[in-house]
Amino acid sequence: MNRLPVLLDADPLAPFPPAGRALREPNGLLAVGGDLSVPRLLNAYRHGIFPWYSAGQPILWWSPDPRVLFSTAPGGVHLSRRFRRSLRDSDWVVRADHRFGEVIDACATLPRSGQDGTWITADMRRAYGELHRLGHAHSIEVMQGEQLVGGLYGVAVGRMFFGESMFSANTGGSKVALAALARRLGEWDWPWLDAQVANPHLLRMGAVTRPRDDFLRIVATAAAGPGRPGPWREAFGALQARALAGPV
């Protein structure tokens, strides 16, 4: 930690260090400290930076290289032929911003293979809850009747969506949430969806990697564009999961 710039709580609008100064190991670690206030979080995302730390650690800020993205063009999120076939008879419906608290709680608490504990601490939940209250953070919810079967949440700045975490309570719930979000963003002419760091699951679903410098140029352009501040309930509407099946 001695090599890292330390952010002070007193000035949430203070600039972050340039992302190019982030460590190579661990990949992308840029700064430590500060707070999770709304101005600081929005400033971070606007510059391709996000917080990620565990309980008991100071706040750690990251900008990894390369960065992982999904295109919102048709086919940018890949659903297997078998899975799309299963969606043809699905009664799932995808909505936005109806159950933000439940989505972030599920992302924090549902067990994940190979993962012990969570980085979505109580402080993180409160901070993103405030972002949501102010219309900057959004949840995508996959519903079967009144049952939440999957979802994701993230932050929108301008015309850029930064995905934070997703979950499945029923098999495929997170896939449907991601595909539905990409469809809506594409319809709104938001070209990219940030997925932060690569893993085999995201790559199988069509995620692509970009050098950090390229990613930062994408963010600078998209974040400066007109966004959709405020709740997305009406703008997102209700998307039937079977509409994602396409030709199989």
Side-chain angles (χ1 to χ4, degrees):
M1 298 295 182
N2 293 336
R3 298 171 53 192
L4 291 174
V6 177
L7 305 180
L8 302 178
D9 292 350
D11 187 3
L13 293 177
F16 282 86
R21 296 183 185 174
L23 300 181
R24 293 185 178 181
E25 184 58 41
N27 179 15
L29 184 54
L30 178 65
V32 60
D35 60 16
L36 297 174
S37 64
V38 167
R40 193 186 299 273
L41 285 168
L42 293 178
N43 188 33
Y45 283 104
R46 194 172 287 114
H47 293 90
I49 300 163
F50 59 88
W52 184 31
Y53 66 103
S54 298
Q57 291 182 321
I59 300 172
L60 304 177
W61 300 91
W62 303 77
S63 185
D65 187 13
R67 195 66 166 248
V68 178
L69 297 159
F70 282 97
S71 168
T72 65
V77 174
H78 173 72
L79 301 177
S80 71
R81 184 184 298 267
R82 180 179 180 183
F83 184 68
R84 286 187 289 117
R85 188 179 297 117
S86 74
L87 290 179
R88 288 197 157 185
D89 298 320
S90 175
D91 61 352
W92 293 357
V93 178
V94 189
R95 311 180 309 188
D97 285 348
H98 289 260
R99 298 191 178 185
F100 184 88
E102 292 178 54
V103 169
I104 195 170
D105 286 350
C107 288
T109 58
L110 283 184
R112 300 174 189 268
S113 176
Q115 181 174 315
D116 182 20
T118 181
W119 55 270
I120 307 174
T121 65
D123 286 344
M124 290 280 275
R125 291 190 224 185
R126 283 191 290 270
Y128 285 81
E130 183 66 4
L131 280 174
H132 173 67
R133 188 184 70 81
L134 295 174
H136 303 296
H138 304 281
S139 58
I140 307 301
E141 304 122 8
V142 184
M143 307 298 300
Q144 185 173 37
E146 291 303 308
Q147 180 185 2
L148 183 64
V149 298
L152 63 81
Y153 76 95
V155 176
V157 180
R159 293 193 301 124
M160 189 75 190
F161 189 90
F162 301 88
E164 277 293 313
S165 187
M166 57 186 183
F167 80 97
S168 292
N170 290 27
T171 302
S174 63
K175 293 180 183 179
V176 168
L178 183 63
L181 173 61
R183 172 172 289 198
R184 281 291 187 259
L185 294 179
E187 292 169 352
W188 297 344
D189 198 27
W190 297 30
W192 296 101
L193 192 169
D194 174 41
Q196 296 184 346
V197 180
N199 64 46
H201 175 64
L202 295 179
L203 296 175
R204 283 194 299 270
M205 290 192 66
V208 296
T209 59
R210 290 287 185 271
R212 181 171 54 215
D213 287 348
D214 289 352
F215 170 77
L216 294 177
R217 283 191 286 270
I218 288 170
V219 170
T221 299
R228 287 181 176 269
W232 281 4
R233 290 186 179 192
E234 293 185 10
F236 193 94
L239 178 63
Q240 301 291 327
R242 57 178 174 268
L244 302 171
V248 293

